[in-house]
């Protein structure tokens, strides 16, 4: 047996590598909802972490491992590659397939686990938005997926929306940039795969009757194209309307994308031609991390920053860093500490705070006044959070069977 690992964990040696993965004893396994996969996949717990173990070919495992490591280095939303275990043999000396080990993404779910009975239109819309945004970010990075689908994606809740993470990279390739033809091929693959997944849900009675599988696969492409256009189109502005340039940058920031530079050139009619260079998603995520040290999804970060900015105004603080420190210690941390220990596996702290902000707004609207953070927290804990499933690991959740 040979282990290539980015993580030195002696516990890896204790797993039953001489046994085919599908025959691993239950004592080593963790019950987690699982997407559709062409490979055998099992989840195991080593120490405080849960890992996904996938049997595959050696060259495929090595290629995917290298790609995931490369994506991690550029901070791309994907699972983390941990190790390859090769040269496996049974106790009788029969060769076994190598495995790729990745770390399970906490608070994430495959799309089939995001609904209990029927996938509603609003949930499907949020999934498609997240997948389209992931594809746009991927193509800006120069990554060709080659097998885009809902099944190859994990989703985390993101303040009323979802954030999507790449799970399966074995068909991918990382380039300096992608041609329109490569982007088009990725979109066509996504269209075909998502159509099949929607048909599968429909056949199982898990798709809302108002959702047309054919429209679903077209919609994800349309959402992608709208977002790609907003990010990349060349804009003509009048010489005296320079505020339009700032407005374009603000719109891109609101979509969650950072602008590294703006190229300006003059055209014959005396206007400027504006070409922003968008480098990556995560504008609000990075600002929140810089100010508070909190790592959040993009929509979560936007909500937390709005609350921080409101706190700064109310406190009459001019120094942004000082305001962020006080908000963190006087607002965010007390709210998180107010959650009883037995409820802390329900949601991650950043999502919890974002939902409490929304809950406070709803209560204040009903009351016609600001109800205050304390009552809002207690109301949310008693009336909302207590009824939610645990999403830190989702142990023991029954997931509808595929097909």
């Amino acid at each position: 047996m040979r282990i290539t690992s980015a993580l030195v964990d002696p516990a890896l040696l204790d797993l039953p590598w001489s046994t085919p993965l599908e025959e691993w004893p239950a004592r080593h396994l963790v019950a987690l909802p699982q997407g559709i996969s062409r490979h055998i996949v099992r989840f195991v717990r080593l120490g405080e972490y849960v890992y996904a173990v996938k049997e595959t070919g050696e060259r495929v495992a090595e290629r995917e491992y290298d790609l995931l490591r490369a994506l991690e280095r550029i901070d791309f939303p994907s699972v983390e590659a941990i190790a390859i275990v090769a040269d496996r043999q049974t106790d009788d000396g029969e060769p076994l397939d190598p495995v790729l080990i990745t770390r399970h993404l906490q608070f994430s779910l495959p799309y089939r686990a995001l609904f209990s009975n029927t996938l509603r239109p609003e949930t499907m819309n949020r999934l498609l938005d997240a997948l389209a945004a992931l594809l746009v970010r991927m193509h800006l990075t120069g990554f060709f997926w080659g097998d885009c689908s809902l099944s190859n994606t994990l989703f985390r809740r993101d303040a009323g929306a979802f954030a999507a993470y790449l799970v399966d990279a074995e068909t991918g390739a990382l380039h300096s940039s992608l041609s329109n033809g490569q982007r088009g091929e990725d979109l066509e693959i996504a269209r075909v795969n998502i159509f099949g997944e929607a048909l599968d849900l429909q056949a199982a009675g898990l798709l809302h009757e108002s959702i047309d599988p054919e429209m679903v696969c077209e919609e994800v492409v349309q959402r992608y194209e709208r977002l790609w256009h907003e990010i990349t189109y060349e804009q003509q502005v009048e010489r005296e309307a320079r505020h339009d340039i700032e407005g374009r940058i603000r719109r891109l920031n609101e979509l969650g994308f950072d602008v590294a530079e703006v190229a300006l050139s003059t055209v014959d009619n005396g206007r400027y031609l504006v070409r922003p260079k968008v480098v990556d998603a995560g504008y609000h995520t990075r600002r929140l991390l810089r100010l508070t040290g909190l790592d959040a999804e993009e929509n979560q970060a936007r909500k937390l920053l709005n609350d921080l900015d409101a706190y700064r105004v109310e406190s009459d603080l001019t120094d942004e860093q000082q305001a962020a420190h006080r908000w963190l210690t006087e607002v965010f941390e007390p709210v998180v500490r107010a959650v009883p220990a037995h409820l802390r596996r329900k949601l991650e702290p950043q999502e919890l705070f974002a939902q409490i902000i929304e809950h406070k707004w709803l209560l204040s609207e009903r009351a016609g006044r600001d109800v205050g953070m304390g009552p809002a927290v207690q109301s949310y804990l008693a009336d909302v959070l207590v009824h939610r499933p645990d999403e830190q690991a989702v142990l023991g959740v029954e997931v509808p069977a595929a097909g």
Side-chain angles (χ1 to χ4, degrees):
M1 183 181 67
R2 174 169 48 89
I3 298 179
T4 302
S5 178
L7 173 71
V8 180
D9 189 344
L12 286 174
L13 299 173
D14 297 332
L15 294 173
W17 298 119
S18 60
T19 304
L21 194 54
E22 62 182 341
E23 298 175 12
W24 276 21
R27 69 178 182 275
H28 292 288
L29 306 180
V30 176
L32 286 178
Q34 187 174 323
I36 301 171
S37 175
R38 67 176 69 90
H39 303 288
I40 297 171
V41 179
R42 296 290 184 266
F43 295 100
V44 300
R45 181 182 294 280
L46 297 176
E48 59 181 306
Y49 296 108
V50 174
Y51 299 95
V53 183
K54 177 175 73 173
E55 274 187 344
T56 184
E58 183 168 359
R59 287 187 179 180
V60 174
E62 290 174 350
R63 188 168 183 276
E64 185 170 9
Y65 177 85
D66 290 340
L67 273 174
L68 289 175
R69 295 280 289 161
L71 292 175
E72 182 185 353
R73 285 192 289 272
I74 59 175
D75 197 28
F76 187 83
S78 62
V79 294
E80 180 185 353
I82 298 300
I84 299 171
V85 182
D87 297 338
R88 298 169 58 213
Q89 292 183 347
T90 66
D91 292 335
D92 297 329
E94 293 295 322
L96 293 173
D97 287 335
V99 301
L100 173 68
I101 304 173
T102 56
R103 180 173 290 166
H104 175 67
L105 185 65
Q106 282 196 331
F107 297 99
S108 69
L109 294 168
Y111 77 101
R112 296 179 69 91
L114 287 167
F115 51 95
S116 54
N117 294 306
T118 302
L119 182 60
R120 297 171 298 175
E122 56 267 32
T123 305
M124 177 62 87
N125 288 336
R126 288 182 291 158
L127 291 178
L128 296 180
D129 279 336
L131 189 58
L134 179 68
L135 265 173
V136 167
R137 183 172 179 181
M138 184 178 297
H139 290 169
L140 286 172
T141 304
F143 186 79
F144 174 81
W145 195 348
D147 197 13
C148 173
S149 68
L150 292 170
S151 296
N152 287 338
T153 312
L154 284 175
F155 296 91
R156 297 178 74 182
R157 299 191 187 278
D158 183 15
F162 289 109
Y165 285 74
L166 178 146
V167 178
D168 194 324
E170 65 180 48
T171 57
L174 190 58
H175 306 280
S176 57
S177 63
L178 296 183
S179 67
N180 289 336
Q182 288 171 311
R183 290 195 305 110
E185 182 179 352
D186 236 3
L187 288 177
E188 185 58 29
I189 292 170
R191 190 199 311 267
V192 172
N193 284 343
I194 293 170
F195 181 54
E197 289 166 328
L199 287 176
D200 175 65
L201 292 175
Q202 187 181 62
L206 299 173
L207 198 64
H208 193 277
E209 60 183 12
S210 66
I211 300 178
D212 180 355
E214 189 170 351
M215 291 301 296
V216 167
C217 65
E218 294 298 329
E219 185 67 19
V220 72
V221 175
Q222 292 172 13
R223 290 168 193 242
Y224 169 95
E225 295 289 6
R226 287 196 296 268
L227 183 55
W228 184 265
H229 172 75
E230 180 63 35
I231 290 171
T232 60
Y233 81 94
E234 293 184 337
Q235 177 185 12
Q236 287 191 23
V237 299
E238 300 288 348
R239 284 180 179 268
E240 61 273 14
R242 297 181 184 180
H243 62 278
D244 288 346
I245 301 173
E246 181 181 351
R248 175 79 184 280
I249 294 174
R250 286 180 179 271
R251 287 199 307 275
L252 291 172
N253 290 161
E254 280 301 305
L255 289 170
F257 290 87
D258 271 335
V259 178
E261 60 187 39
V262 176
L264 296 176
S265 58
T266 56
V267 290
D268 293 340
N269 53 13
R271 295 180 174 184
Y272 287 117
L273 188 64
V274 180
R275 292 185 295 274
K277 180 182 178 183
V278 175
V279 288
D280 199 3
Y283 173 78
H284 298 94
T285 294
R286 279 188 279 274
R287 182 181 170 221
L288 182 69
L289 185 64
R290 173 175 56 83
L291 289 174
T292 68
L294 294 175
D295 191 6
E297 300 292 352
E298 185 64 14
N299 287 322
Q300 292 170 352
R302 183 185 289 109
K303 281 187 175 290
L304 268 62
L305 286 168
N306 287 341
D307 195 71
L308 190 162
D309 290 338
Y311 172 85
R312 179 184 173 188
V313 171
E314 293 167 2
S315 304
D316 197 24
L317 295 169
T318 56
D319 185 271
E320 186 179 54
Q321 198 67 55
Q322 181 188 9
H325 176 71
R326 286 183 54 179
W327 173 86
L328 184 67
T329 56
E330 296 177 9
V331 181
F332 180 84
E333 290 177 352
V335 167
V336 173
R337 286 197 300 268
V339 180
H342 69 283
L343 296 179
R344 289 176 185 168
R345 293 172 63 86
K346 301 281 186 177
L347 293 170
E348 61 180 335
Q350 291 85 334
E351 177 66 18
L352 175 80
F353 191 88
Q355 291 200 13
I356 287 176
I357 292 173
E358 184 69 18
H359 188 69
K360 176 176 176 286
W361 182 83
L362 292 173
L363 293 179
S364 299
E365 283 288 294
R366 290 180 201 155
R369 59 179 177 82
D370 188 344
V371 300
M373 184 61 84
V377 170
Q378 295 307 314
S379 171
Y380 180 83
L381 296 179
D383 301 332
V384 180
L385 187 62
V386 71
H387 302 296
R388 295 188 63 93
D390 290 359
E391 291 191 3
Q392 184 173 24
V394 207
L395 301 181
V397 169
E398 290 292 333
V399 182

